[in-house]
């Protein structure tokens, strides 16, 4: 178990540019979550996947944001035409939803990708 | 919607002092409750959890009891150490959906001085 990894750890971009972040979950975990955290606040839910299916998206996730998990393993989060308000820490978490219950509560977080839009 | 309210920080204590960080929540049904800790430069780590009323979660000397009557999940530790300095987040995961996503409080920064 190597934990959840995220890449890059830091990204500085100019307003209007596109950026893409990657998350590698714990290998046996079938659920993957994206959160956004701004300074002084707790993480806010953005979206989640069960295997390769994206099952829920927050209203926080504007049309400029898109997430994929093509093979049910790693995931990418892309932000198009970045704005200064997108500056935040983007957190990925994974968990194991056991068959028969579907509900999993214990999430394991990666170190995050800090995005700065100038 | 669901929400979590934590006591505002920052909290500064001397080593071996008693710690309480208050957390109250609003949710439908019977959520699961969590405390996460974030050390400087690191990701969130699950500290403890409780999945039903009157459950007590405990880990590394920290404890929290799920109190449904007061909708609270206060974090306590009898004797803090300098190494406990971190940001602590209270969170819930609603039971009325299958998503398992969490709703977090804004965090409380704890600094323990020698």
């Amino acid at each position: 178990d190597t934990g959840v990894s995220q890449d890059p750890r830091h990204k500085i971009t100019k307003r209007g540019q596109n950026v893409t972040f990657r998350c590698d979950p714990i290998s046996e975990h079938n659920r993957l979550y994206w959160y956004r955290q701004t300074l002084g606040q707790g993480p806010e839910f953005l979206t989640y996947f069960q295997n390769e299916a994206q099952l829920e998206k927050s209203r926080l996730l504007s049309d400029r944001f898109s997430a994929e998990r093509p093979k049910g393993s790693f995931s990418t989060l892309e932000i198009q035409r970045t704005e200064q308000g997108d500056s935040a820490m983007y957190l990925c978490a994974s968990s194991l939803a056991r068959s028969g219950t579907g509900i999993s509560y214990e999430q394991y977080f990666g170190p995050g990708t800090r995005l700065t839009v100038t | 919607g669901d929400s979590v309210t934590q006591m505002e920080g920052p909290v500064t204590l001397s080593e071996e002092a008693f710690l309480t960080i208050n957390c109250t929540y609003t949710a439908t049904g019977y959520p699961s409750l969590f405390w996460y800790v974030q050390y400087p430069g690191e990701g969130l780590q699950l500290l403890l959890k409780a999945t039903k009323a009157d459950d007590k979660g405990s880990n590394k000397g920290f404890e929290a009891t799920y109190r449904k009557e007061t909708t609270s999940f206060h974090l306590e530790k009898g004797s803090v150490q300098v190494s406990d300095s971190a940001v602590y987040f209270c969170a819930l995961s609603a039971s009325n959906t299958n998503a398992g996503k969490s709703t977090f409080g804004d965090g409380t920064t704890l600094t323990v001085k020698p």
Side-chain angles (χ1 to χ4, degrees):
Chain A
D1 180 356
T2 58
V4 179
S5 62
Q6 293 186 245
D7 184 69
R9 294 290 304 274
H10 304 273
K11 179 70 176 179
I12 300 174
T13 191
K14 293 184 177 180
R15 188 177 57 184
Q17 297 296 304
N18 299 344
V19 294
T20 300
F21 310 141
R22 176 179 171 125
C23 171
D24 287 88
I26 292 172
S27 58
E28 64 268 26
H29 284 184
N30 51 8
R31 287 198 174 182
L32 187 148
Y33 302 81
W34 285 99
Y35 292 85
R36 180 170 66 191
Q37 184 179 18
T38 53
L39 198 62
Q41 296 194 336
E44 295 176 298
F45 170 78
L46 294 178
T47 188
Y48 92 100
F49 294 82
Q50 174 139 342
N51 301 313
E52 66 276 8
Q54 187 174 18
L55 297 187
E56 185 173 342
K57 293 192 293 185
S58 165
R59 285 172 291 179
L60 293 174
L61 212 63
S62 78
D63 292 344
R64 297 183 296 104
F65 287 69
S66 63
E68 295 182 342
R69 195 184 183 197
K71 297 182 179 179
S73 56
F74 73 92
S75 175
T76 58
L77 177 68
E78 180 183 16
I79 308 174
Q80 296 182 329
R81 305 181 303 282
T82 52
E83 301 173 356
Q84 288 187 323
D86 297 331
S87 296
M89 178 76 84
Y90 289 84
L91 299 171
C92 177
S94 69
S95 68
L96 179 63
R98 292 176 174 81
S99 61
T101 65
I103 299 174
S104 65
Y105 298 121
E106 192 161 330
Q107 297 180 19
Y108 295 81
F109 282 81
T113 295
R114 181 169 296 283
L115 173 66
T116 303
V117 181
T118 62
Chain B
D2 298 340
S3 66
V4 175
T5 303
Q6 288 183 233
M7 68 182 283
E8 292 187 11
V11 174
T12 302
L13 296 174
S14 297
E15 208 165 20
E16 298 184 3
F18 184 85
L19 169 71
T20 299
I21 300 177
N22 290 339
C23 171
T24 57
Y25 68 89
T26 301
T28 55
Y30 300 90
S32 290
L33 302 175
F34 308 89
W35 278 100
Y36 286 86
V37 59
Q38 188 171 33
Y39 298 103
E42 298 184 14
L44 276 75
Q45 300 174 24
L46 179 65
L47 181 60
L48 54 82
K49 67 178 181 182
T51 58
K52 60 183 186 294
D54 299 325
D55 269 2
K56 178 185 285 188
S58 61
N59 186 25
K60 300 180 181 179
F62 290 89
E63 294 182 339
T65 301
Y66 189 144
R67 300 288 189 198
K68 185 159 181 62
E69 64 276 13
T70 54
T71 61
S72 66
F73 192 55
H74 305 321
L75 182 68
E76 296 182 335
K77 186 174 186 182
S79 176
V80 294
Q81 306 300 311
V82 172
S83 57
D84 293 327
S85 298
V87 182
Y88 292 82
F89 292 93
C90 185
L92 69 81
S93 184
S95 62
N96 60 342
T97 75
N98 200 30
K101 63 184 178 182
S102 290
T103 299
F104 288 82
D106 286 340
T108 302
T109 300
L110 170 66
T111 301
V112 180
K113 295 187 174 180

